[in-house]
Amino acid sequence: GLGGGILVALALSGIGGVWLTRQAMQPIEQSFQRLKQFTADASHELRSPLMAVKSNATVALKYPEGMRETDKEKFQAIASATNQMSRLTEDLLFLARNDKIPHRNRDIIDLTELLENLVQLYKPQAEAKQIKLSIQVTKNLRLLGDSDQLRRLFGNLIENAIHYTPNSGTVEIKDRRISPHWYIEVRDTGVGIAPEQLKHVFDRFWRADRSRSYNSGGSGLGLAIAQAIAQNHGGLITVTSQVEVGSCFTVRLPTNATSVL
Ligand code: ADP
């Protein structure tokens, strides 16, 4: 977008001592736009062939009679890899489009209810690791926004918190109001993130080395998406963390878009 263009202009002016005029910026703007469109088109085109592979593998696994054990394993590997690939293409598509929420999609959302529903959804995943997943959020916290996007934002944070927390830990969701902002915290007692790595967590495709041992098949796009969604709502996500102690992701939302009714 324009921000990127301006950054390039600033960088170039620093190096070459020239200031790019608006006119000179135009081709740069256009190539950013083309790159974005290309990513969107490519991920969109990948959808149907992927779906075909995925459904064929799924159907084959439905009738395993007469199938050799080794073939069954191969189909399972295909199904799981295509699952991961479709998640990746969906994520790429989302980021390339980075839909600014059209006004017609802005609904009044009960954020408290949305968060409580997410907690119910992730309870089994937490219980499987004996993780205590708790929520303590102001009642009737209303917000103008897109419910699918907000579910995705907080879903990503909760999923990460559970995923990067060893057995018997805790994951807590809380809110705080410091005018003019609302803060929603997702705090875990997980592996944490090293200080020098913290600045990278919201980068696309970035994953800490230590997270490889957690082998989630994650894409490294989850937090980039969460950040884009927060920004779409006039907000921001920040993180504090301590290795082997835990992490706290805080979503800041403007109070003018939120209210307690
Ligand atoms: P993914 O989880 O798919 O790898 P994300 O964008 O969601 O991608 O996260 C990027 C990286 O940030 C993760 O790979 C992990 O290293 C780190 N990370 C995210 N959330 C947490 C957390 N709650 N605790 C520790 N590390 C985290």
Side-chain angles (χ1 to χ4, degrees):
L2 192 58
I6 289 168
L7 270 183
V8 169
L10 282 174
L12 290 177
S13 68
I15 298 160
V18 286
W19 180 258
L20 292 183
T21 63
R22 218 197 174 91
Q23 207 177 356
M25 291 264 300
Q26 232 174 23
I28 300 175
E29 266 305 313
Q30 281 166 357
S31 56
F32 270 123
Q33 206 46 52
R34 274 201 297 271
L35 195 60
K36 227 170 141 179
Q37 189 60 45
F38 174 76
T39 314
D41 292 346
S43 17
H44 189 261
E45 290 303 310
L46 280 168
R47 265 178 167 173
S48 8
L50 256 178
M51 205 50 89
V53 178
K54 193 164 131 180
S55 49
N56 274 299
T58 312
V59 170
L61 281 168
K62 260 200 180 141
Y63 307 101
E65 308 89 28
M67 201 190 276
R68 283 186 305 185
E69 198 54 37
T70 48
D71 287 343
K72 213 155 78 183
E73 280 163 20
K74 283 174 195 145
F75 275 110
Q76 265 151 3
I78 292 170
S80 128
T82 45
N83 265 333
Q84 197 178 331
M85 273 168 81
S86 26
R87 223 177 322 146
L88 187 59
T89 48
E90 290 308 315
D91 286 356
L92 275 174
L93 190 58
F94 182 91
L95 278 172
R97 284 188 180 150
N98 186 13
D99 307 303
K100 295 283 172 281
I101 316 158
H103 272 282
R104 62 188 154 75
N105 284 0
R106 283 189 191 264
D107 296 320
I108 298 173
I109 288 144
D110 187 332
L111 197 59
T112 315
E113 199 181 294
L114 185 146
L115 290 169
E116 280 167 352
N117 287 340
L118 278 174
V119 165
Q120 287 313 312
L121 188 72
Y122 285 103
K123 262 265 146 68
Q125 221 163 301
E127 275 165 7
K129 293 176 77 178
Q130 290 105 45
I131 288 173
K132 188 167 166 272
L133 174 60
S134 68
I135 174 164
Q136 203 185 336
V137 173
T138 308
K139 283 280 160 220
N140 302 317
L141 189 57
R142 310 272 166 137
L143 160 74
L144 208 56
D146 179 308
S147 61
D148 287 341
Q149 288 201 5
L150 288 169
R151 207 170 291 126
R152 196 153 178 190
L153 188 178
F154 288 104
N156 283 354
L157 294 185
I158 296 170
E159 196 172 329
N160 277 348
I162 296 171
H163 190 77
Y164 296 110
T165 297
N167 285 2
S168 314
T170 61
V171 174
E172 280 182 323
I173 303 160
K174 283 188 176 163
D175 74 313
R176 229 159 6 106
R177 183 188 181 157
I178 305 173
S179 203
H181 300 296
W182 275 109
Y183 295 86
I184 318 266
E185 290 179 357
V186 180
R187 182 185 297 274
D188 66 53
T189 58
V191 293
I193 303 156
E196 69 276 12
Q197 302 199 312
L198 266 185
K199 58 178 178 293
H200 297 297
V201 290
F202 297 106
D203 292 351
R204 294 170 184 192
F205 296 112
W206 187 88
R207 308 191 68 206
D209 275 343
R210 54 194 304 109
S211 66
R212 288 184 210 287
S213 57
Y214 277 75
N215 198 14
S216 63
S219 60
L221 289 174
L223 286 178
I225 288 177
Q227 186 66 284
I229 293 174
Q231 285 167 0
N232 278 347
H233 287 80
L236 188 75
I237 310 178
T238 54
V239 55
T240 55
S241 187
Q242 214 178 328
V243 170
E244 305 301 338
V245 177
S247 310
C248 182
F249 285 82
T250 305
V251 183
R252 194 188 82 190
L253 295 165
T255 36
N256 61 13
T258 53
S259 63
V260 183
L261 300 178

